[in-house]
Amino acid sequence: MFAGFMINTWIVASIVAIVAGVVGFFVVLRGSSFAAHAIPNASFAGAAGANLVGASSIGGLLVFAVAGALGIALLSKRGRRDVATALAIVLMLALGALFLSFSTEYAAETYSLLFGEVLGVSSSELAPTVVLALLAVAAVATFWRLLLLTSVMPELAEARGVHIYRVELVFLLIVALVTSLSVPVVGALLMFSLMIGPPAAARSFTTNPFVAVVLAVSLALTTVWIAIAVSYMTTWPIGFFVGVLGAAFFLTGRAFAAWRGNRAHPRAARHSQVVAA
Amino acid sequence: MADLTESTSADSRTPILELDGIGVWLSGREILHDVKFEVRPGELVGLIGSNGAGKTTIFRVILGLLTPSSGRVLIVGGPRPRRNRSVGYVPQKIALDPDMPLRSRDLVALGLDGHKLGVSLPSRRRREMVDEMLHAVDAMPFANARVGSLSGGEQQRVMIAHALISRPKLLLLDEPLANLDLRSEQEVVELLAEIAKEHGVAVLISAHDLNPVLPVVDRVVYVAHGHVASGTTDEVVTTDVLSQLYGHNVDVIRLHGRILVVAGPSPRADPALMEQLGRLSNPVDDTVAV
Ligand SMILES: Nc1ncnc2c1ncn2[C@@H]1O[C@H](COP(=O)(O)OP(=O)(O)O)[C@@H](O)[C@H]1O
Ligand SMILES: [Mg+2]
C-alpha cells in the first residue's frame, strides 16, 4: 500500500485530514454541522455537472461549493439558518440527481464522489489540493480571533462592532474551499464526518482551544491513515472507515469526559494546584 | 488591583453616558418614549423595570445596535463611534456551551483583541493583563477551567473581566443578577460597586428587582412601559412618581431596608378585599407591570 501509485493518495489524504481538523474545530464550535453537511452535497452536484460537460471536476466542486455557501449565507440572513441550510441541501441533491441521470458512467462516478476512492488521486490533482489547503489554513489563521469571538458570543461581538454576518460568510467560504479539495478523496458524505468526528472528540480531552485544534488534526490524520490502510487491504470503501473511526473517537471522547466529570470535585483539585503553584 | 481606566477623567462631572429624548418604535409600537438620563464617572446607576419594560432596548440603543427614531446618545460627550472601545458590555443571555474547549482566561483575552484579524500569539504581557483582570474580579481560582461549565456567578465574573479588560469608561450589564443565587448576587453587586468607586468606571446595570442593587446604586432609572423616571432612590421610588410612571396607583412601602412596590387599590377593586389579599406580599412584577 506504499507503492508508487499510492503516494499521491497518502499525501492528499493527509492534507485533507489537516484542514478538516482545523476547520472542523470551528464547525463544531459554531454549531455549523448542518452547513458542513450541506456544502459537500453542493459540491457533489458540482462534480457531477462538471463531469457531464467534460470540465475539471475540482473546478465544478469549487464553483458549486462556493455557490452553496453563498446561498446558505444569503438565505439565513433573512430567516432561520437551519431552514436555509436544508433548502440548499435539497436543491443541490436535486441538481446532482439530474446531472447524474444524464451521465453515462452513472454508478461508478456517484459512488466515488459520495464515498471516496483510495486509488482515485492523480498527480495532476496534487497541486490544486495543496494550494486550496494552504488558502484554507491561512484564512482560518487570519480570522482566528473573530471566528472564536463570533462563535462563543455572537451578540457581544455584534455590540463590539464586528460584522457577524460577514464573518459567517467567510467561514462558509472556508468550508466550501476545504470541501472542494477533500471530496475527490474521502467523498462528499464522509468529508462531513471528518470535519465533525475528530474535532468533536478533541473537545473532550482539552480545555485549551489551540490544543483542541492540534488534537483534532492529529485525530483526523490518524483516522485517514488507518482508513486508507484498512481500505487498501479489504477493498472496502475508505469512507466507511473514516465514518466509523470518526464516530469511535467521538464516543471515546464522550466516555473520557463522563469519567472525568464523575471524579469528585474536579474544580477543587484545580484550585489546589493553582494555590500550590 | 491596578487602575482600570486609561486616564482619570479631568472633569468628573462630564457625563460618560448621556441619553437625550430617546424614542424607539418597533413593528409600529412605541417601545421607548422620551428616555432621558445620564451616568457620570464612578457612578453606579440601576436601570430598574419589570420584564418587557424596555431595559434591553435601552442597552441596544446605547450600543448602537438599534437606531432610535428620535433623540441622541452621547458617549463621553460625543457620538458613539462604531467600534467603541470605551464601552464594555455584558449581555443578558450568555449561553456558553459547557463542552466548549475554552478557558476563562481565553474568554477574557478575547475582550482584549477578539474583534481583530490574526492570531494572538501568547506573550508575557498579554498573560499578565489577563491575570490582572482575573484577579480584579476574583476569578483566579477558575482561570483555567472550562468556562461553559462554571456556575452562573463565576461566569458572570469572567464576563465582567472580558468587558473590563479593554479599560472601558462605561460598563453596561444587562440583568447580571438574573439566575444567580443570593450569595453570588451579593458578590457580583459588591464587585460592581468596587469597579465604579475605585476605578471611576461609569456602571449601568439593569435589574427587574430593585432590592439587590439598592445598597450600592447612586441613582436609579426606573422604566415602565418605555417611560423612565430617574434620580436618587428617594426621589424616584415614591408613591407619587411611580404611580405617575405606571399610570395607575402604586404603593411604595419601605420595610426593613427593603423597598416593596405594590399595586395600589384600583378604582375597580374593592379596597377591603385588597386589604385582605395582603398587598405587602405582592412585588411589583406580579401586580403592576405589563
Ligand atoms: N424587535 C422587536 N420588535 C417589536 N417589539 C420588540 C422588539 N424587541 C423588543 N420588543 C418589545 O419591546 C419591549 C421591551 O423589550 P425589552 O427591552 O427586551 O424589555 P426588558 O429588557 O426590559 O425585559 C417588549 O414589549 C418587547 O416585546
Ligand atoms: Mg431584557
Side-chain angles (χ1 to χ4, degrees), chain B residues 198-221:
Chain B
E198 291 178 21
H199 308 286
V201 178
V203 182
L204 181 65
I205 163 180
S206 78
H208 54 261
D209 182 7
L210 171 64
N211 287 296
V213 295
L214 199 56
V216 292
V217 288
D218 297 296
R219 283 184 305 117
V220 293
V221 178

Side-chain angles (χ1 to χ4, degrees), chain B:
Chain B
M1 173 157 76
D3 191 14
L4 288 175
T5 46
E6 263 159 4
S7 62
T8 38
S9 183
D11 182 4
S12 67
R13 285 175 311 160
T14 310
I16 296 286
L17 172 68
E18 220 178 324
L19 270 74
D20 191 11
I22 296 291
V24 167
W25 285 77
L26 290 171
S27 334
R29 207 153 65 82
E30 189 175 37
I31 308 291
L32 295 179
H33 176 83
D34 193 23
V35 169
K36 197 175 173 139
F37 65 90
E38 46 187 57
V39 187
R40 297 189 190 85
E43 234 182 7
L44 191 107
V45 173
L47 186 62
I48 313 295
S50 48
N51 278 333
K55 305 181 295 293
T56 300
T57 307
I58 291 177
F59 281 124
R60 290 178 61 80
V61 169
I62 298 170
L63 289 163
L65 295 173
L66 189 66
T67 313
S69 41
S70 64
R72 56 186 192 147
V73 177
L74 296 181
I75 288 170
V76 204
R80 181 191 189 283
R82 175 147 177 91
R83 284 174 192 264
N84 201 328
R85 304 263 291 149
S86 55
V87 182
Y89 171 51
V90 179
Q92 181 170 3
K93 288 182 223 107
I94 3 161
L96 299 173
D97 178 355
D99 296 330
M100 149 177 90
L102 197 79
R103 300 160 298 179
S104 304
R105 63 168 59 260
D106 300 315
L107 196 136
V108 174
L110 280 177
L112 208 53
D113 48 21
H115 58 289
K116 291 183 187 159
L117 289 175
V119 186
S120 39
L121 296 171
S123 78
R124 227 183 103 186
R125 205 179 88 83
R126 266 177 75 80
R127 205 190 153 79
E128 281 170 2
M129 287 175 81
V130 170
D131 279 351
E132 183 193 326
M133 203 46 68
L134 286 163
H135 263 301
V137 301
D138 208 7
M140 220 40 198
F142 38 91
N144 294 317
R146 218 177 268 265
V147 67
S149 65
L150 296 177
S151 75
E154 290 168 336
Q155 277 185 11
Q156 204 56 254
R157 288 164 185 282
V158 176
M159 290 303 297
I160 293 170
H162 168 99
L164 276 181
I165 198 167
S166 59
R167 320 259 152 168
K169 295 191 170 65
L170 173 65
L171 182 60
L172 308 173
L173 303 107
D174 198 359
E175 304 233 21
L177 307 181
N179 307 320
L180 294 194
D181 57 83
L182 265 174
R183 214 186 106 212
S184 357
E185 191 178 273
Q186 204 178 343
E187 286 172 359
V188 169
V189 164
E190 280 163 13
L191 171 65
L192 293 173
E194 181 188 324
I195 289 164
K197 292 295 153 297
E198 291 178 21
H199 308 286
V201 178
V203 182
L204 181 65
I205 163 180
S206 78
H208 54 261
D209 182 7
L210 171 64
N211 287 296
V213 295
L214 199 56
V216 292
V217 288
D218 297 296
R219 283 184 305 117
V220 293
V221 178
Y222 222 101
V223 202
H225 312 305
H227 293 244
V228 300
S230 68
T232 63
T233 319
D234 287 340
E235 287 165 3
V236 174
V237 192
T238 65
T239 299
D240 284 351
V241 173
L242 291 192
S243 293
Q244 204 187 349
L245 187 67
Y246 278 110
H248 57 97
N249 279 335
V250 168
D251 278 343
V252 174
I253 297 152
R254 285 163 200 264
L255 190 71
H256 307 309
R258 285 173 64 83
I259 299 182
L260 302 175
V261 181
V262 298
S266 85
R268 279 168 295 165
D270 177 0
L273 187 64
M274 285 297 287
E275 286 296 328
Q276 279 177 353
L277 286 174
R279 303 187 310 223
L280 284 185
S281 61
N282 291 333
V284 64
D285 279 341
D286 299 341
T287 49
V288 178
V290 196

Side-chain angles (χ1 to χ4, degrees), chain A:
Chain A
M1 62 182 149
F2 298 104
F5 67 94
M6 284 293 287
I7 293 297
N8 288 335
T9 303
W10 284 102
I11 296 174
V12 172
S14 302
I15 294 172
V16 166
I18 292 167
V19 291
V22 172
V23 176
F25 170 76
F26 282 110
V27 169
V28 175
L29 191 67
R30 299 175 79 79
S32 302
S33 304
F34 200 27
H37 179 57
I39 293 173
N41 265 314
S43 67
F44 154 72
N51 193 46
L52 190 65
V53 298
S56 103
S57 75
I58 205 158
L61 283 167
L62 193 58
V63 169
F64 270 64
V66 168
L70 290 175
I72 292 171
L74 286 174
L75 286 172
S76 56
K77 196 177 185 180
R78 295 263 156 234
R80 271 175 50 177
R81 187 171 67 167
D82 57 342
V83 176
T85 310
L87 270 174
I89 293 185
V90 170
L91 210 66
M92 289 304 170
L93 278 180
L95 276 179
L98 181 70
F99 294 153
L100 281 173
S101 76
F102 292 150
S103 170
T104 45
E105 318 148 74
Y106 183 75
E109 269 303 315
T110 322
Y111 191 79
S112 79
L113 283 176
L114 286 176
F115 297 102
E117 179 122 62
V118 183
L119 310 177
V121 184
S122 66
S123 293
S124 63
E125 276 170 307
L126 208 55
T129 306
V130 172
V131 172
L132 290 182
L134 285 176
L135 265 175
V137 172
V140 169
T142 307
F143 286 89
W144 173 267
R145 289 187 291 217
L146 280 166
L147 285 170
L148 262 189
L149 185 67
T150 56
S151 308
V152 177
M153 302 173 292
E155 195 192 343
L156 202 141
E158 199 183 5
R160 286 180 63 183
V162 174
H163 297 276
I164 50 175
Y165 172 71
R166 286 185 208 166
V167 177
E168 176 69 7
L169 186 61
V170 166
F171 179 67
L172 289 175
L173 288 175
I174 294 173
V175 174
L177 207 65
V178 172
T179 299
S180 308
L181 72 92
S182 317
V183 165
V185 190
V186 291
L189 290 180
L190 290 138
M191 178 51 198
F192 168 57
S193 74
L194 205 52
M195 275 197 284
I196 306 298
R203 289 154 68 91
S204 301
F205 295 106
T206 178
T207 55
N208 182 328
F210 276 112
V211 176
V213 171
V214 173
L215 210 56
V217 168
S218 315
L219 291 179
L221 278 172
T222 312
T223 301
V224 293
W225 287 339
I226 295 177
I228 292 174
V230 184
S231 165
Y232 183 83
M233 290 185 291
T234 59
T235 70
W236 288 16
I238 181 173
F240 168 73
F241 298 105
V242 169
V244 168
L245 284 168
F249 280 133
F250 177 69
L251 291 175
T252 311
R254 294 314 300 176
F256 176 77
W259 168 76
R260 190 193 52 207
N262 281 338
R263 283 183 305 168
H265 309 299
R267 208 177 296 147
R270 271 197 294 273
H271 285 197
S272 54
Q273 280 168 15
V274 171
V275 173

